Amino acid sequence: VQTCALPISSVGGGHAGGDEVMAVGLAQTLRGQAEPRAGMPEGVRSLAVALAIDKAMDTGRVVDLRSTWRQLAASGVYRQ
């Protein structure tokens, strides 16, 4: 088992302090002290939206996620 210290500071932190909350929650989950705050469906949805945002920023166009949601629902990974 390897351990490391991660300095967590909300001073000038990102996302209005939300990064600190996420980091603390992740650390607690990894230590077995808490259940994950989000599951697979939330993770899949967040990733799809984040990738669409990146694509929209690169292309300057709105990204339609309807086909993405249908494909994920058909695969059983995501429920609409």
Side-chain angles (χ1 to χ4, degrees), residues 23-66:
V24 169
L26 176 60
Q28 289 172 339
T29 299
L30 293 173
R31 290 187 199 119
Q33 299 168 336
E35 291 295 316
R37 294 181 181 177
M40 177 67 102
E42 294 87 3
V44 169
R45 188 170 39 243
S46 295
L47 176 60
V49 171
L51 292 174
I53 290 169
D54 284 348
K55 185 174 181 179
M57 289 172 42
D58 290 343
T59 64
R61 303 187 68 157
V62 172
V63 176
D64 186 348
L65 287 172
R66 288 179 286 197

